């Protein structure tokens, strides 16, 4: 017998359903059930409710039934649905995980879903295993054997910590025009020319360019960045030898910061980034003159992220170099325009990582002092 259920909401239940519909993220089915209950409460017929909410009549009937025989939560909640049993048992799933983590078959670079499904058929009594079954079981175990990451984990020893905290303390100092802090790095870039002239964009048509291009060699960029004021300088050169580095250092002292007493320079461990390069480029007296006004601070090995200029290089590439530039002259002109605009805008890198945060976040990786291993002795 088809029982007709009558919905009568209390004031509290009505307010709860109204709040549910008024905001927040909820499942669409739950929202439809709330609409059904509110419509039924004001006396709307099942047919009208089904039409207005956009559901079938059976959905309206079951929602009202669950509310009358149960409660509001029972009417809104999703009932468990019967489904097929899992095809892979516990041991078979463990076998799948172990296989996915093992070396792939000879002649294959990595496991694929098809290969794993075939291997399960060979190792178990299943006549077939679908690709989707394998994908779901791997997803549950957070495994993607067809992907891999290249990584480099630095050794956090005393030297690493000392260099890191030295650089972080420099960044945290108050600005001192007589003792500026400047980050320095270099970056190569390709010179690429067009084989065919690009077609400009038009209304309804994107700009089009040929997939082919001409290689015109490379150029090198030397980048300076003042840590405490909105200033950066990019020098375009043909090469990145020791003499080029030395010329940049002399420009830094004589052209860019002639009034500074001492320039603290943050840089990486490239073989040319050392005082000896100046002696290769200049007479000893000239090299010594420049070096007297420089103070080198090296970031730890495999920790270029500590050099603030790395962020600026990323900005330069995204804002200016993300296109084909054919000649070194054009490259220098475009970079100079970008440099002027960015300096004039007052753009700066907002550095948030401090020595205190390094000790809090990386404290476990810090080397343990030798005194901590020595037994404590009491004086008699």
């Amino acid at each position: 017998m088809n029982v007709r259920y009558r919905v009568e909401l209390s004031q509290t239940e009505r307010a709860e359903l109204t709040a549910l519909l008024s905001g927040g993220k909820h499942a669409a089915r739950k929202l439809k059930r709330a609409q059904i209950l509110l419509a039924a409460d004001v006396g709307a017929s099942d047919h009208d409710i089904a039409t207005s909410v956009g559901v079938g009549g059976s959905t309206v009937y079951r929602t009202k039934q669950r509310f009358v025989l149960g409660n509001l939560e029972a009417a809104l909640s999703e009932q468990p649905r019967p489904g097929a049993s899992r095809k892979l048992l516990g041991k078979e799933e463990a076998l799948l995980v172990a296989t996915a983590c093992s070396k792939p078959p000879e002649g294959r670079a990595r496991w694929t879903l098809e290969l794993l499904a075939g291997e399960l058929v060979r190792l178990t009594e299943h006549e077939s295993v679908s690709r989707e079954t394998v994908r779901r079981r791997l997803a549950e175990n957070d495994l993607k054997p067809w992907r891999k990451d290249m990584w480099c984990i630095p050794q956090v020893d005393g030297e690493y910590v000392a260099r890191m905290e030295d650089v972080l303390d420099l960044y945290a100092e108050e600005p001192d025009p007589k003792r500026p802090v400047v980050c320095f790095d270099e970056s190569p870039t390709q010179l690429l020319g067009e084989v065919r002239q690009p077609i400009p964009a038009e209304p309804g048509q994107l700009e089009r360019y040929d997939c082919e291009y001409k290689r015109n060699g490379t150029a090198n960029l030397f980048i300076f960045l003042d840590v405490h004021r909105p200033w950066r300088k990019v020098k375009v050169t043909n090469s990145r030898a020791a003499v080029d580095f030395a010329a940049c250092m002399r420009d830094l002292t004589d052209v860019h910061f002639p009034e500074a007493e001492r320039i603290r320079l943050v840089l990486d461990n490239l073989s040319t980034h050392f005082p000896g390069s100046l002696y290769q480029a200049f007479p000893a007296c000239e090299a010594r003159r420049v070096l007297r006004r420089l103070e080198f601070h090296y970031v730890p090995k495999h920790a270029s992220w500590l050099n603030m200029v790395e962020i600026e290089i990323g900005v330069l590439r995204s804002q200016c170099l993300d296109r084909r530039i054919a000649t070194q002259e054009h490259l220098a002109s475009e970079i100079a325009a970008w440099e002027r605009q960015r300096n004039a805008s007052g753009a700066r890198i907002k550095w948030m990582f401090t020595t205190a945060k390094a000790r809090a976040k990386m404290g476990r990786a810090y080397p343990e002092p030798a005194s901590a291993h020595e037994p404590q002795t009491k004086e008699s």
Side-chain angles (χ1 to χ4, degrees):
M1 183 176 66
N2 188 10
V3 180
R4 299 184 66 183
Y5 295 97
R6 182 171 181 176
V7 173
E8 294 181 353
L9 297 173
S10 66
Q11 190 65 30
T12 302
E13 291 170 336
R14 195 176 295 109
E16 182 178 343
L17 292 175
T18 303
L20 180 69
L21 292 173
S22 63
K25 292 184 178 180
H26 304 283
R29 290 178 178 176
K30 189 172 185 178
L31 296 176
K32 287 182 180 294
R33 294 188 189 104
Q35 292 173 335
I36 291 171
L37 293 176
L38 287 173
D41 181 54
V42 297
S45 66
D46 289 3
H47 180 269
D48 291 341
I49 296 173
T51 303
S52 62
V53 178
V55 295
S58 59
T59 300
V60 176
Y61 179 83
R62 286 195 302 269
T63 303
K64 294 168 64 176
Q65 181 187 47
R66 291 195 203 112
F67 177 79
V68 174
L69 300 182
N71 53 29
L72 180 61
E73 182 62 29
L76 294 176
S77 61
E78 184 78 23
Q79 296 295 315
R81 299 185 177 189
S85 59
R86 295 170 73 97
K87 185 164 188 176
L88 300 182
L89 303 178
K91 290 184 178 180
E92 294 169 340
E93 187 170 328
L95 179 61
L96 170 63
V97 171
T99 303
C101 295
S102 66
K103 187 177 179 180
E106 185 177 356
R108 301 300 291 265
R110 60 189 62 85
W111 285 105
T112 64
L113 296 179
E114 290 79 5
L115 283 176
L116 288 169
E119 189 69 7
L120 278 183
V121 171
R122 188 180 70 83
L123 296 175
T124 65
E125 296 181 357
H126 291 291
E127 294 184 359
S128 66
V129 176
S130 70
R131 181 181 184 275
E132 183 63 13
T133 296
V134 173
R135 187 195 67 79
R136 289 181 178 178
R137 299 295 85 78
L138 291 178
E140 289 175 359
N141 290 276
D142 196 22
L143 270 177
K144 296 180 180 179
W146 52 90
R147 296 185 61 185
K148 58 181 179 180
D149 286 334
M150 180 181 292
W151 50 269
C152 177
I153 299 179
Q155 181 181 357
V156 182
D157 53 11
E159 180 67 19
Y160 184 102
V161 172
R163 290 189 177 191
M164 176 179 67
E165 294 199 350
D166 174 51
V167 171
L168 293 178
D169 285 348
L170 277 180
Y171 292 165
E173 285 186 7
E174 291 296 323
D176 183 355
K178 293 296 183 182
R179 293 168 55 82
V181 179
V182 178
C183 293
F184 171 83
D185 202 2
E186 55 190 74
S187 179
T189 187
Q190 288 193 81
L191 300 174
L192 302 177
E194 300 287 357
V195 176
R196 297 176 181 84
Q197 193 65 23
I199 302 174
E202 297 177 356
Q205 178 64 60
L206 297 175
E207 179 186 6
R208 288 167 288 177
Y209 62 96
D210 200 290
C211 62
E212 294 185 17
Y213 54 85
K214 293 187 295 184
R215 295 181 182 272
N216 295 332
T218 61
N220 189 65
L221 310 179
F222 288 106
I223 304 99
F224 298 97
L225 176 72
D226 193 317
V227 169
H228 294 123
R229 67 187 180 98
W231 177 87
R232 71 272 300 139
K233 181 66 180 177
V234 183
K235 182 178 181 181
V236 182
T237 62
N238 291 319
S239 60
R240 45 182 293 187
V243 293
D244 300 302
F245 172 76
C248 284
M249 295 301 100
R250 185 160 64 176
D251 289 346
L252 186 64
T253 58
D254 297 355
V255 178
H256 305 312
F257 293 89
E259 304 299 326
E261 295 175 357
R262 197 159 186 83
I263 304 168
R264 277 86 60 79
L265 196 66
V266 178
L267 65 173
D268 61 21
N269 299 272
L270 193 65
S271 59
T272 57
H273 292 178
F274 289 90
S277 295
L278 278 78
Y279 284 90
Q280 296 181 40
F282 308 131
C285 59
E286 176 68 1
R288 192 72 252 158
R289 181 189 71 81
V290 175
L291 287 173
R292 283 196 184 101
R293 296 184 53 216
L294 294 176
E295 184 180 295
F296 293 136
H297 295 261
Y298 294 98
V299 299
K301 292 182 178 179
H302 306 303
S304 59
W305 58 272
L306 281 166
N307 195 340
M308 198 182 292
V309 78
E310 291 283 348
I311 302 173
E312 191 68 19
I313 292 174
V315 176
L316 170 62
R317 294 204 169 276
S318 64
Q319 292 185 351
C320 178
L321 303 183
D322 189 18
R323 50 182 165 156
R324 294 173 184 172
I325 299 179
T327 65
Q328 184 170 316
E329 292 74 17
H330 187 202
L331 175 69
S333 173
E334 291 295 310
I335 289 179
W338 171 85
E339 176 189 299
R340 289 192 299 269
Q341 294 167 9
R342 189 154 169 81
N343 286 340
S345 69
R348 288 183 54 192
I349 304 298
K350 187 177 181 181
W351 188 263
M352 305 294 291
F353 196 59
T354 63
T355 299
K357 289 183 178 180
R359 292 175 181 175
K361 294 184 176 182
M362 301 173 60
R364 293 183 180 180
Y366 271 47
E368 190 173 349
S371 59
H373 299 287
E374 298 175 359
Q376 300 290 328
T377 58
K378 294 183 179 180
E379 296 183 0
S380 57

